[in-house]
Amino acid sequence: MPLDYTSAILDVGDPSGYEQAGLAADIASYVPTRDAWVQLREYATTQSIEIETVDVPDAWADAAAQARPGQLPPGAIAYTVNGIRHRNGVWNSTAESLSVPVAFTLFMACPHDGDPCYLLRLSQLNNPLR
């Protein structure tokens, strides 16, 4: 169910809790609703992403420079992921597949004190920071 996936991502979210509500909303835009999830099960739908590149976007330096003091946590960084989303399922007893390019940005913090990195936010799907 969607909660199984969203909770796993929230587990690696901002430990302060400051960004958790925003991250939860970001994640919700990536996964089907519970009702849609149940319906997709009837079609044996699976989905995966083939990651092609992960890069710090050029615009990150400007975004970080424009942030107010204390707005970004220590070690804040952005990574833009480009890849191919593969979706497979069965429609009218026929196996179907779809592969489309996708891109998104992970906004993370990797503290300088050696604590683990954590996820702050996600961009909208196919609206990454470039």
Side-chain angles (χ1 to χ4, degrees):
M1 297 310 266
L3 186 57
D4 297 325
Y5 293 93
T6 59
S7 63
I9 297 169
L10 287 171
D11 285 348
V12 296
D14 179 7
S16 74
Y18 183 75
E19 294 288 351
Q20 287 291 66
L23 179 58
D26 297 343
I27 296 166
S29 71
Y30 278 75
V31 297
T33 64
R34 185 181 189 290
D35 291 341
W37 192 282
V38 169
Q39 186 177 14
L40 289 169
R41 289 171 117 180
E42 296 175 30
Y43 303 107
T45 303
T46 62
Q47 184 169 268
S48 63
I49 183 171
E50 176 184 347
I51 297 174
E52 295 181 323
T53 62
V54 177
D55 298 300
V56 175
D58 292 338
W60 175 247
D62 290 338
Q66 293 173 16
R68 294 184 311 274
Q71 184 177 8
L72 296 174
I77 189 74
Y79 294 104
T80 295
V81 177
N82 292 283
I84 305 294
R85 177 176 55 196
H86 302 284
R87 186 178 292 162
N88 300 292
V90 177
W91 180 257
N92 292 329
S93 301
T94 303
E96 299 284 340
S97 64
L98 174 69
S99 296
V100 295
V102 293
F104 57 93
T105 301
L106 303 161
F107 296 93
M108 302 180 64
C110 294
H112 303 297
D113 61 6
D115 282 347
C117 295
Y118 55 89
L119 185 59
L120 295 166
R121 299 292 302 264
L122 294 168
S123 72
Q124 291 177 325
L125 186 62
N126 294 324
N127 191 19
L129 190 62
R130 293 288 182 190

